[in-house]
């Protein structure tokens, strides 16, 4: 009986959580004849042309390409850099490694907006304004502290014997980690791919400062400009927002199998 009540409560929580998404889909696909004040729970007709119009007017195609480049580059860079750093922090127990690890954790408490002005000066001096590579480095750097923390705790839970056996067989510690240990990090890697991919896809604060050209705008910037143009048209705003969120949702569904397992293991073990 207790399990039944728990499942009922979880089902209610899940349904309540889906209400905003349902309202977004409802608004994006409703015909012009239907208004927000109508009390219909389901649409009688679906207006697919709303999506086509929002796609064309908001120029989301180019924006999605820019967001995909930033997302893929920052996720790959943050995952590989953090995995290597996490391995060193987990396996090499020295006082200076503990000091660096503590400093890395402390950096997580500093709001990113504080660094905007000096970062702008740095990006301008290295020619990083309106470039993919500079913003990839910037976004990945923001992901690294949390990623290193989770990787370090997860690697500490792995047995050293497998790596030591690989070293005896002729591998260096470097190759032993990437060939033997790194494949075992799939749960935490999947978790970080989800977190970092969604974070990069939704990045607005840094993109609005460092991607000033319209050709370089990302999905959040394209939707922001679209909302300024169609601010009174809720259907078009919802349609553009729905299109913009689909890639991030797809990434979550691809890797969600390992999400809970990885986040709990990386945060608790060690």
């Amino acid at each position: 009986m207790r399990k039944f009540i728990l499942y009922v409560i979880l089902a209610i929580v899940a349904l309540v959580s889906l209400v905003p998404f349902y309202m977004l889909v409802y608004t994006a696909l409703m015909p012009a004849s239907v208004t927000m004040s109508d009390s219909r729970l389901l649409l009688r007709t679906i207006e697919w042309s709303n999506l086509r119009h929002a796609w064309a007017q908001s120029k989301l195609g180019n924006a999605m390409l820019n967001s995909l480049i930033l997302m893929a580059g920052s996720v790959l860079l943050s995952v590989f850099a953090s995995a290597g750093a996490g391995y060193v922090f987990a396996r090499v127990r020295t006082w200076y490694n503990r000091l660096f690890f503590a400093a890395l954790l402390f950096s997580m408490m500093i709001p990113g907006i504080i660094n905007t002005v000096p970062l702008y000066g740095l990006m301008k001096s290295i020619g990083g304004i309106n470039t993919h590579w500079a913003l990839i480095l910037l976004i990945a750097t923001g992901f690294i502290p949390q990623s290193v923390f989770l990787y370090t705790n997860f690697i500490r839970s792995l047995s050293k014997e497998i790596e030591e056996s690989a070293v005896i067989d002729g591998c260096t510690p470097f190759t032993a980690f990437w060939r033997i240990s790194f494949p075992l990090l799939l749960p935490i890697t999947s978790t970080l791919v989800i977190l970092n991919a969604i974070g990069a896809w939704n990045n607005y604060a840094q993109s609005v400062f460092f991607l000033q050209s319209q050709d370089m705008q990302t999905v959040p910037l394209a939707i922001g400009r679209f909302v300024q143009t169609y601010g009174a048209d809720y259907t078009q705003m919802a349609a553009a927002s729905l299109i913009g969120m689909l890639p991030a949702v797809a990434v979550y569904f691809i890797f969600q199998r390992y999400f809970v397992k990885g986040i709990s293991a990386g945060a608790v073990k060690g």
Side-chain angles (χ1 to χ4, degrees):
M1 186 63 182
R2 293 178 61 184
K3 285 188 176 180
F4 175 76
I5 296 176
L6 178 62
Y7 290 150
V8 170
I9 294 174
L10 292 176
I12 293 174
V13 172
L15 289 174
V16 171
S17 301
L18 288 173
V19 169
F21 181 73
Y22 173 77
M23 292 304 300
L24 177 66
V25 176
Y26 183 97
T27 306
L29 299 178
M30 70 180 186
S33 58
V34 179
T35 63
M36 295 296 296
S37 60
D38 290 341
S39 58
R40 300 174 186 172
L41 183 61
L42 298 174
L43 291 172
R44 295 178 182 176
T45 58
I46 296 177
E47 194 67 42
W48 296 106
S49 61
N50 292 339
L51 299 177
R52 293 195 298 269
H53 183 267
W55 173 270
Q57 296 299 319
S58 61
K59 299 180 180 179
L60 276 174
N62 184 65
M64 279 193 173
L65 178 60
N66 290 327
S67 289
L68 283 172
I69 293 173
L70 295 177
M71 182 177 69
S74 60
V75 167
L76 288 174
L77 181 59
S78 63
V79 163
F80 285 111
S82 300
Y87 177 76
V88 174
F89 285 131
R91 294 292 189 248
V92 183
R93 302 292 187 91
T94 60
W95 68 267
Y96 50 83
N97 264 359
R98 290 194 292 270
L99 179 64
F100 286 141
F101 187 68
L104 200 67
L105 296 183
F106 176 77
S107 68
M108 296 171 61
M109 297 183 289
I110 302 175
I113 193 67
I114 293 178
N115 304 321
T116 300
V117 174
L119 278 176
Y120 185 85
L122 175 63
M123 294 280 278
K124 189 174 181 180
S125 65
I126 64 175
I129 304 296
N130 291 321
T131 61
H132 288 134
W133 65 267
L135 195 56
I136 286 174
L137 291 175
L138 186 60
I139 295 174
T141 301
F143 294 151
I144 283 177
Q146 176 182 325
S147 301
V148 170
F149 170 73
L150 294 176
Y151 267 126
T152 300
N153 288 331
F154 195 92
I155 292 171
R156 285 173 179 170
S157 69
L158 299 179
S159 174
K160 293 182 180 180
E161 281 73 15
I162 300 178
E163 299 165 11
E164 293 171 351
S165 299
V167 172
I168 293 175
D169 290 337
C171 289
T172 64
F174 179 83
T175 55
F177 170 68
W178 290 110
R179 292 184 180 181
I180 306 300
S181 299
F182 186 72
L184 301 177
L185 305 180
L186 180 59
I188 191 62
T189 299
S190 300
T191 299
L192 290 173
V193 167
I194 293 174
L195 295 176
N196 296 350
I198 294 177
W201 187 265
N202 294 330
N203 185 286
Y204 180 85
Q206 293 171 326
S207 299
V208 75
F209 279 104
F210 304 122
L211 298 179
Q212 301 170 357
S213 171
Q214 189 169 358
D215 293 336
M216 296 295 296
Q217 68 181 1
T218 58
V219 169
L221 297 182
I223 294 178
R225 292 192 175 103
F226 186 73
V227 168
Q228 294 175 5
T229 304
Y230 294 88
D233 193 335
Y234 295 105
T235 299
Q236 291 300 311
M237 287 194 300
S241 300
L242 179 61
I243 296 172
M245 69 179 289
L246 290 179
V249 173
V251 170
Y252 175 78
F253 277 111
I254 291 173
F255 293 98
Q256 59 87 27
R257 175 182 176 186
Y258 304 98
F259 181 74
V260 176
K261 179 181 178 182
I263 195 69
S264 58
V268 176
K269 289 185 179 180

